[in-house]
Amino acid sequence: MSIQADIIEQIEKFKTIIIHRHEDPDPDAFGSQAGLAEVIRNCFPDKNVYQVGENNASLEWITTEDKIDDKVYDGALVIVIDTANTPRIDDQRYKKGAFLIKIDHHPNDDAYGDLTWVKTDASSSSELIIDLVNNSNGKLVLNKKAAEALYAGIIGDTGRFMFNNTSAHTLRVTAQLFEFGIDAAWMNRKLDEITPGIAKLSAYVWDNMTITEHHAAYIVLKHDLIKNYKLGAAGTAPIVSVLGKIDTVKCWTLFVQEEDGTYRLNIRSKGPIINGLAKEYGGGGHPLASGAKMDTLTDEQLKEYVAKLDKIAATYTGEDND
Ligand code: AMP
């Protein structure tokens, strides 16, 4: 039996299904989570299906989460989606269920779960949910609500079909979503819109960034500065792509200081492979889009990191690949 058939067998078997995703959720985390939840609710109205984790005000147009008691986990199936490693699972109660399934498209460095389905060439976890539906022999069926969530996930992770993770298959399954009359233009606009605070912070980033000799770029955004723009660390997500808009920049990093003083690193690239660097700093992710955390960021630590990023840019011989 295929892994997808195994997953569907487990979905059929359990009365209660709880779906988790990663912390700091992005549109694909929310979209794949809500898309799967909606598909199961659509086809198995007698099951109790919950999606858990923190809400994010700016992404509530995709979905909002359920609040559940610990006892709901007794005898439940837990599905964790779009989350490479267990520390990043939003809501660590994921361990309390009776059976655990991992569905993901990130490199499978931490193959947790009783069943693990990881496909790294999928554009997004949302794409995987459509594959699961298409391979379910009609046991799972999409509806408009699921299609909307999954579309949000796909355009989130592909940068509205701009990144090289967009395949012919991505476009084919996306076409399926259009059959449900989703308002794709509205969702594209929602993802592209920025607040005045983000606009001003973007201007700050362009004004104050550093571009190294070999075309790696970086900027450090301290918590106090972010607060001046009336944003929290989580609100800076739309800034991540800003440095990459510069034609000469090959790879870049945003150091974003959290309220507790630690740093979140958003690491991106147009071609040079940067997930090895992310791993070196205890993080991970995709070859061209990764993240990591640092407890402190001294001048020395910054210098050392930037030298490594610059070396990655310097040794890259391929074409830009974004
Ligand atoms: P971000 O920069 O937070 O948008 O994350 C980009 C990619 O890197 C996503 O695919 C994340 O799953 C992954 N990622 C981000 N932070 C971490 C981390 N601390 N550990 C492992 N993977 C991460």
Side-chain angles (χ1 to χ4, degrees), residues 20 23 52 73 83 85-96:
H20 289 238
E23 57 186 15
V52 299
Y73 283 84
T83 312
N85 50 355
T86 55
R88 276 191 38 93
I89 300 175
D90 191 353
D91 199 334
Q92 289 288 312
R93 294 181 298 172
Y94 77 90
K95 301 171 195 144
K96 291 179 176 286

Side-chain angles (χ1 to χ4, degrees), residues 85 88 106 264-268 282-286 289-293:
N85 50 355
R88 276 191 38 93
H106 298 97
R264 209 181 60 208
L265 280 60
N266 303 114
I267 315 166
R268 297 290 187 273
H286 305 283
S290 287
K293 288 180 175 168

Side-chain angles (χ1 to χ4, degrees), residues 22-24 26 82-85 87-88 104-107 109 157 237 240 254 264-268 274-275 278-279 281-286 288-294:
H22 63 78
E23 57 186 15
D24 301 326
D26 52 17
D82 199 41
T83 312
N85 50 355
R88 276 191 38 93
D104 192 21
H105 72 126
H106 298 97
D109 295 330
D157 262 25
V240 177
L254 218 77
R264 209 181 60 208
L265 280 60
N266 303 114
I267 315 166
R268 297 290 187 273
I274 44 74
N275 56 351
K279 270 192 213 167
Y281 284 83
H286 305 283
L288 306 185
S290 287
K293 288 180 175 168
M294 286 171 74

Side-chain angles (χ1 to χ4, degrees), residues 198-211 217-221 225 229 239 242-243 246 249 254:
I198 289 290
K200 290 193 170 122
L201 186 55
S202 302
Y204 174 89
V205 168
W206 275 319
D207 244 3
N208 293 280
M209 68 187 174
T210 303
I211 301 179
Y218 70 93
I219 184 130
V220 179
L221 299 176
L225 177 112
Y229 291 94
I239 295 291
V242 160
L243 291 174
I246 300 162
V249 170
L254 218 77

Side-chain angles (χ1 to χ4, degrees), residues 110-309:
D110 178 1
Y112 60 85
D114 301 301
L115 266 181
T116 303
W117 180 35
V118 173
K119 199 166 173 284
T120 51
D121 61 351
S123 68
S124 53
S125 292
S126 295
E127 182 178 316
L128 290 179
I129 299 307
I130 310 172
D131 288 340
L132 188 67
V133 168
N134 290 343
N135 292 313
S136 71
N137 289 321
K139 289 176 179 167
L140 299 177
V141 180
L142 294 168
N143 62 9
K144 186 173 180 184
K145 202 169 161 193
E148 284 167 343
L150 294 168
Y151 183 75
I154 290 175
I155 57 173
D157 262 25
T158 61
R160 288 173 291 135
F161 309 110
M162 199 170 73
F163 305 147
N164 76 337
N165 59 357
T166 308
S167 66
H169 182 70
T170 311
L171 295 174
R172 258 184 237 115
V173 298
T174 303
Q176 267 180 261
L177 305 179
F178 275 63
E179 305 285 348
F180 291 91
I182 60 169
D183 194 344
W186 179 82
M187 285 190 268
N188 285 326
R189 207 165 51 239
K190 282 299 273 184
L191 266 193
D192 197 37
E193 271 172 1
I194 55 171
T195 60
I198 289 290
K200 290 193 170 122
L201 186 55
S202 302
Y204 174 89
V205 168
W206 275 319
D207 244 3
N208 293 280
M209 68 187 174
T210 303
I211 301 179
T212 65
E213 186 188 348
H214 300 104
H215 312 291
Y218 70 93
I219 184 130
V220 179
L221 299 176
K222 292 272 180 75
H223 179 67
D224 282 350
L225 177 112
I226 298 167
K227 236 171 64 181
N228 282 342
Y229 291 94
K230 308 219 173 344
L231 296 165
T236 59
I239 295 291
V240 177
S241 58
V242 160
L243 291 174
K245 288 190 193 284
I246 300 162
D247 56 358
T248 53
V249 170
K250 290 183 183 171
C251 51
W252 65 101
T253 298
L254 218 77
F255 297 86
V256 180
Q257 192 180 33
E258 308 267 3
E259 198 169 359
D260 66 2
T262 63
Y263 286 83
R264 209 181 60 208
L265 280 60
N266 303 114
I267 315 166
R268 297 290 187 273
S269 173
K270 297 178 184 172
I273 305 301
I274 44 74
N275 56 351
L277 179 63
K279 270 192 213 167
E280 226 181 284
Y281 284 83
H286 305 283
L288 306 185
S290 287
K293 288 180 175 168
M294 286 171 74
D295 289 339
T296 55
L297 185 63
T298 61
D299 290 350
E300 205 48 47
Q301 284 173 307
L302 181 63
K303 214 170 127 193
E304 190 182 316
Y305 178 95
V306 170
K308 287 177 181 171
L309 190 66

